[in-house]
Amino acid sequence: MNTTPIIIAIDGFSSSGKSTMARRLAARIGYRYIDSGAMYRAVTLYALDHNMIAADGTPDVDAITAALPNIRIDFAPQPDGTQSTMLNGVDVERDIRRLRVSNAVSPVSAIPAVRRALTAMQQEMGLRKGIVMDGRDIGTTVFPGAELKIFVDASAETRARRRFREMVEKGNAVSYEDVLANVVHRDNIDSTRAESPLRRAADAIVLDNSDMTIDEQDSWLYDRFLQRTNAR
Ligand code: DC
């Protein structure tokens, strides 16, 4: 791409398909893709492995806050074109996708110190632009000045079906009901928390992809990218 690089922010509920579209757009236009949710998941995995989350899911805010300087997260490109989330140098890509982490991540991502630390890391990753980042607060808090902002919407059932299929394909033994319950529960926490709740930026373009194929979604997003970069 010979145009001046921009920042593309893609926000939406869990399992809305935003990561797939963000990753595919980044590959197509030669931008860096960052899955900000993976970073919240990595912090959660660290907290679980260091006994900083009680059996009822309540995180030990002080312990997690104190541990933040010891948590290093980066992304390692893989030979198959995907990238792995690295936690202190260890590939945790598979571990962070398990239900154990999914069930614990929302309260951890509601901790103000965690949000501040990860927001700062994400902003640093975007300094040179040419980046597609997906999450919940990218267009509102991390990059309020992003040149292209998308807000992806889809019904909870559609999203639970997608995640269920994904988890079964990866060999996880889960029930659809458990996955749906997790999706609804996380929607609720993510959109009602005090710090950077999931909400649409006023200047974000809304995409409801409930009835779209992945290819349709890719073309839609690529067109938005072309419009935005040609208009500059
Ligand atoms: O996109 P995901 O389901 O992998 O995200 C995991 C959790 O991280 C989700 O419950 C909310 C949180 N999250 C967040 O608070 N802010 C972001 N920018 C990305 C994710």
Side-chain angles (χ1 to χ4, degrees), residues 14 18 36-37 40-41 97 105-106 109 115 135-138 163 186 190 193:
S14 62
K18 58 188 185 322
S36 70
Y40 286 94
R41 287 171 177 272
R97 307 292 165 192
V105 66
S106 281
S109 61
R115 301 210 70 82
R136 303 291 189 289
D137 61 340
I138 310 305
R163 177 145 298 196
R186 281 205 289 150
D190 294 348
R193 68 174 175 232

Short mmCIF file of all heavy atoms in Angstrom, two decimals, residues 14 18 36-37 40-41 97 105-106 109 115 135-138 163 186 190 193, ligand 1:
data_model
loop_
_atom_site.label_atom_id
_atom_site.label_comp_id
_atom_site.label_asym_id
_atom_site.label_seq_id
_atom_site.Cartn_x
_atom_site.Cartn_y
_atom_site.Cartn_z
N SER A 14 -17.88 -9.65 22.28
CA SER A 14 -17.07 -10.86 22.11
C SER A 14 -17.65 -11.73 21.01
O SER A 14 -18.86 -11.77 20.82
CB SER A 14 -17.01 -11.63 23.43
OG SER A 14 -18.30 -12.03 23.80
N LYS A 18 -14.97 -9.79 14.86
CA LYS A 18 -14.10 -8.64 14.61
C LYS A 18 -12.64 -9.04 14.45
O LYS A 18 -11.94 -8.46 13.62
CB LYS A 18 -14.27 -7.56 15.67
CG LYS A 18 -13.98 -8.02 17.08
CD LYS A 18 -14.35 -6.95 18.06
CE LYS A 18 -13.97 -7.30 19.48
NZ LYS A 18 -14.12 -8.68 19.92
N SER A 36 -6.19 -6.85 20.88
CA SER A 36 -6.03 -6.32 22.24
C SER A 36 -6.67 -7.23 23.28
O SER A 36 -6.23 -7.28 24.42
CB SER A 36 -6.59 -4.89 22.35
OG SER A 36 -7.98 -4.90 22.26
N GLY A 37 -7.71 -7.98 22.88
CA GLY A 37 -8.34 -8.92 23.81
C GLY A 37 -7.34 -9.98 24.27
O GLY A 37 -7.38 -10.43 25.42
N TYR A 40 -5.53 -8.76 27.30
CA TYR A 40 -6.29 -8.89 28.55
C TYR A 40 -6.34 -10.36 28.98
O TYR A 40 -6.30 -10.68 30.17
CB TYR A 40 -7.70 -8.30 28.38
CG TYR A 40 -7.65 -6.80 28.35
CD1 TYR A 40 -7.58 -6.11 27.14
CD2 TYR A 40 -7.59 -6.06 29.53
CE1 TYR A 40 -7.48 -4.72 27.10
CE2 TYR A 40 -7.49 -4.68 29.50
CZ TYR A 40 -7.44 -4.02 28.29
OH TYR A 40 -7.32 -2.65 28.28
N ARG A 41 -6.43 -11.25 27.99
CA ARG A 41 -6.45 -12.67 28.31
C ARG A 41 -5.11 -13.12 28.89
O ARG A 41 -5.06 -13.94 29.81
CB ARG A 41 -6.76 -13.49 27.04
CG ARG A 41 -8.22 -13.39 26.61
CD ARG A 41 -8.45 -14.01 25.23
NE ARG A 41 -9.85 -13.95 24.89
CZ ARG A 41 -10.74 -14.89 25.22
NH1 ARG A 41 -10.35 -15.98 25.86
NH2 ARG A 41 -12.01 -14.76 24.90
N ARG A 97 -7.21 -18.97 25.13
CA ARG A 97 -8.52 -19.14 24.48
C ARG A 97 -9.44 -20.09 25.25
O ARG A 97 -10.58 -20.29 24.87
CB ARG A 97 -8.36 -19.67 23.04
CG ARG A 97 -7.41 -18.87 22.18
CD ARG A 97 -7.92 -17.49 21.85
NE ARG A 97 -6.85 -16.64 21.34
CZ ARG A 97 -6.96 -15.33 21.18
NH1 ARG A 97 -8.07 -14.71 21.50
NH2 ARG A 97 -5.95 -14.62 20.73
N VAL A 105 -11.79 -13.37 32.51
CA VAL A 105 -11.15 -12.18 31.93
C VAL A 105 -11.91 -10.87 32.15
O VAL A 105 -11.28 -9.82 32.32
CB VAL A 105 -10.85 -12.41 30.42
CG1 VAL A 105 -12.11 -12.55 29.59
CG2 VAL A 105 -9.97 -11.32 29.85
N SER A 106 -13.23 -10.90 32.18
CA SER A 106 -13.95 -9.62 32.27
C SER A 106 -13.64 -8.85 33.55
O SER A 106 -13.33 -7.65 33.49
CB SER A 106 -15.45 -9.82 32.09
OG SER A 106 -15.75 -9.96 30.73
N SER A 109 -10.22 -7.38 33.29
CA SER A 109 -10.10 -6.24 32.37
C SER A 109 -10.86 -5.01 32.87
O SER A 109 -10.76 -3.94 32.27
CB SER A 109 -10.54 -6.63 30.96
OG SER A 109 -11.88 -7.02 30.96
N ARG A 115 -6.10 -1.72 32.77
CA ARG A 115 -6.47 -0.98 31.55
C ARG A 115 -5.43 0.09 31.22
O ARG A 115 -5.06 0.28 30.08
CB ARG A 115 -7.84 -0.32 31.69
CG ARG A 115 -8.98 -1.30 31.96
CD ARG A 115 -10.29 -0.80 31.39
NE ARG A 115 -10.28 -0.85 29.94
CZ ARG A 115 -10.52 -1.95 29.22
NH1 ARG A 115 -10.82 -3.09 29.80
NH2 ARG A 115 -10.46 -1.90 27.91
N GLY A 135 -10.83 -4.68 19.58
CA GLY A 135 -11.07 -4.75 21.02
C GLY A 135 -12.42 -4.19 21.40
O GLY A 135 -13.42 -4.40 20.70
N ARG A 136 -12.45 -3.51 22.54
CA ARG A 136 -13.71 -2.95 23.05
C ARG A 136 -13.67 -1.43 23.11
O ARG A 136 -14.68 -0.77 23.02
CB ARG A 136 -13.97 -3.45 24.48
CG ARG A 136 -14.02 -4.95 24.64
CD ARG A 136 -15.25 -5.51 23.96
NE ARG A 136 -15.44 -6.92 24.29
CZ ARG A 136 -14.66 -7.91 23.85
NH1 ARG A 136 -13.64 -7.65 23.06
NH2 ARG A 136 -14.92 -9.16 24.21
N ASP A 137 -12.45 -0.89 23.31
CA ASP A 137 -12.32 0.55 23.57
C ASP A 137 -11.28 1.18 22.67
O ASP A 137 -10.68 2.18 23.02
CB ASP A 137 -11.92 0.76 25.03
CG ASP A 137 -10.57 0.12 25.36
OD1 ASP A 137 -10.14 -0.77 24.61
OD2 ASP A 137 -9.94 0.54 26.34
N ILE A 138 -11.01 0.55 21.53
CA ILE A 138 -9.92 1.04 20.68
C ILE A 138 -10.31 2.38 20.04
O ILE A 138 -9.52 3.33 20.06
CB ILE A 138 -9.54 -0.01 19.60
CG1 ILE A 138 -9.33 -1.39 20.23
CG2 ILE A 138 -8.31 0.44 18.82
CD1 ILE A 138 -8.33 -1.43 21.37
N ARG A 163 -18.56 -19.00 18.34
CA ARG A 163 -17.51 -19.36 19.30
C ARG A 163 -17.56 -20.85 19.62
O ARG A 163 -16.53 -21.50 19.73
CB ARG A 163 -17.61 -18.53 20.58
CG ARG A 163 -16.56 -18.96 21.58
CD ARG A 163 -15.99 -17.89 22.42
NE ARG A 163 -15.28 -16.85 21.70
CZ ARG A 163 -14.46 -15.99 22.29
NH1 ARG A 163 -14.22 -16.08 23.56
NH2 ARG A 163 -13.85 -15.05 21.60
N ARG A 186 -20.39 -11.88 29.66
CA ARG A 186 -19.30 -10.95 29.35
C ARG A 186 -19.81 -9.67 28.71
O ARG A 186 -19.32 -8.58 29.00
CB ARG A 186 -18.27 -11.64 28.44
CG ARG A 186 -17.36 -12.54 29.25
CD ARG A 186 -16.04 -12.74 28.59
NE ARG A 186 -16.21 -13.57 27.40
CZ ARG A 186 -15.44 -13.47 26.33
NH1 ARG A 186 -14.49 -12.55 26.28
NH2 ARG A 186 -15.63 -14.25 25.31
N ASP A 190 -18.72 -6.22 30.23
CA ASP A 190 -17.92 -5.35 29.36
C ASP A 190 -18.63 -4.03 29.06
O ASP A 190 -17.98 -3.00 28.89
CB ASP A 190 -17.61 -6.06 28.02
CG ASP A 190 -16.70 -7.26 28.22
OD1 ASP A 190 -16.12 -7.41 29.31
OD2 ASP A 190 -16.56 -8.06 27.26
N ARG A 193 -19.05 -1.82 32.87
CA ARG A 193 -17.96 -1.48 33.79
C ARG A 193 -17.71 0.05 33.74
O ARG A 193 -17.99 0.72 32.74
CB ARG A 193 -16.69 -2.25 33.43
CG ARG A 193 -16.11 -1.83 32.11
CD ARG A 193 -14.77 -2.51 31.82
NE ARG A 193 -14.36 -2.13 30.49
CZ ARG A 193 -13.99 -2.97 29.55
NH1 ARG A 193 -13.96 -4.27 29.78
NH2 ARG A 193 -13.63 -2.53 28.36
O1 DC B 1 -12.11 -10.09 22.34
P1 DC B 1 -11.93 -11.11 23.46
O2 DC B 1 -13.19 -11.87 23.76
O3 DC B 1 -10.77 -12.00 23.26
O4 DC B 1 -11.62 -10.22 24.75
C1 DC B 1 -11.40 -10.79 26.01
C2 DC B 1 -11.86 -9.87 27.13
O5 DC B 1 -10.99 -8.74 27.21
C3 DC B 1 -13.27 -9.33 27.00
O6 DC B 1 -14.13 -9.95 27.91
C4 DC B 1 -13.17 -7.87 27.31
C5 DC B 1 -11.73 -7.56 27.44
N1 DC B 1 -11.25 -6.54 26.52
C6 DC B 1 -11.30 -5.24 26.94
O7 DC B 1 -11.79 -4.97 28.02
N2 DC B 1 -10.80 -4.25 26.15
C7 DC B 1 -10.29 -4.52 24.95
N3 DC B 1 -9.80 -3.54 24.19
C8 DC B 1 -10.25 -5.87 24.50
C9 DC B 1 -10.75 -6.85 25.30
#
